[in-house]
Amino acid sequence: MRSLRTSDGEAGQLDLFVGAGSDIAARDAQDLMAWPFFSLAKSKRVKPIDFRMGEVAILVEATAEHGMATIWDADVLIWVASQIVEARDAGKATSRLIAATPHEILTFTRRGTGKAGYERLKAALDRLQSTSIATSIRQAGARRRRRFSWINEWRERLDDNGRALGIEMIVPDWLYEGVLDRALVLTIDPAYFALTGGLERWLYRIVRKHGGKQKGGWSFDISHLHVKSGALSPLKRFAFEVRAIVRRQSLPGYNLALEHQFGRERLLFVAAPVDPFASARRRIGLPPVEKGA
């Protein structure tokens, strides 16, 4: 870690944390997995998410210029959480001011590393910075709110010829504090990054958060999931898409099922049995063996 020699705003008060690259375990913040903080659509969303459940209150607001940060943009925050946890567990100092190359972030999140991938990354950073969040989560009282953006500020570092050398970003205290708390971070399957649907990605995160490795699994009413998702789609469409995900069984590490009780549809999920051979292949970076091979 080294000091950032700059007088620009908050960055001048922070040490620069350089991550460990892209070949590390993926970790996610449980608060982000459990609650509706992101748009699940690839099209621009400007309508706020205004969510209340018990003592939990979340208001997510977007700008007309950039739109709301999406669940694909949240991959950057997963990268941030993974870097901080990796350093913390190794006994190294961390900071809210983080440096990386676009290639590291794109490789970690299984994205293309060409020019188009870099442009999409910059657009994601703009949405993360311009999206405003106010929440009561991890505040002393239900009436207290913490307001922040997912990224306080970010900038490119360029060489004398205008070529990109890397990116520096500052994440908010709320996210940083949550990531440093060992009880609030979970390891996720790297296959998560291959999920293409917004609802599919959100469903994996909430299943991973609540189902974990519990032998008996977990379950939710579909209507309850619809409320927790913050999705703009009506319940009927939401339920249709969940049924399609259940048919595909596309969530890595989990088996899904549906049941009907007292006129209500309910999603059940349980951790799939671990194949020791497949697990060993993943640990050494080998691809899974295809069925029938």
Side-chain angles (χ1 to χ4, degrees), residues 150-164:
W150 293 122
I151 294 177
N152 290 10
E153 57 183 275
W154 76 274
R155 68 179 185 181
E156 296 177 276
R157 291 184 294 120
L158 306 175
D159 64 16
D160 294 337
N161 297 315
R163 290 190 294 265

Side-chain angles (χ1 to χ4, degrees), residues 159-278:
D159 64 16
D160 294 337
N161 297 315
R163 290 190 294 265
L165 296 175
I167 290 171
E168 294 168 1
M169 68 184 86
I170 300 176
V171 297
D173 277 322
W174 186 88
L175 177 64
Y176 185 68
E177 292 164 0
V179 170
L180 286 179
D181 188 333
R182 295 176 187 273
L184 296 179
V185 177
L186 289 173
T187 301
I188 63 172
D189 195 310
Y192 164 80
F193 296 114
L195 297 177
T196 57
L199 177 57
E200 199 170 35
R201 282 171 156 249
W202 176 82
L203 197 58
Y204 170 80
R205 297 174 85 187
I206 201 164
V207 164
R208 175 70 183 95
K209 163 68 174 70
H210 291 282
K213 303 298 180 183
Q214 299 181 67
K215 186 176 180 180
W218 204 267
S219 65
F220 279 116
D221 280 350
I222 297 295
S223 57
H224 180 77
L225 285 174
H226 180 245
V227 172
K228 289 198 74 171
S229 73
L232 290 175
S233 59
L235 175 58
K236 185 175 181 180
R237 178 65 190 178
F238 179 89
F240 174 83
E241 293 178 355
V242 169
R243 294 183 202 115
I245 293 170
V246 173
R247 286 194 299 271
R248 293 196 301 271
Q249 292 293 322
S250 55
L251 302 193
Y254 290 90
N255 294 324
L256 309 179
L258 291 168
E259 68 174 13
H260 292 80
Q261 293 183 347
F262 308 107
R264 301 175 71 88
E265 192 171 24
R266 195 167 182 85
L267 176 70
L268 297 84
F269 42 92
V270 63
V274 176
D275 182 338
F277 179 67

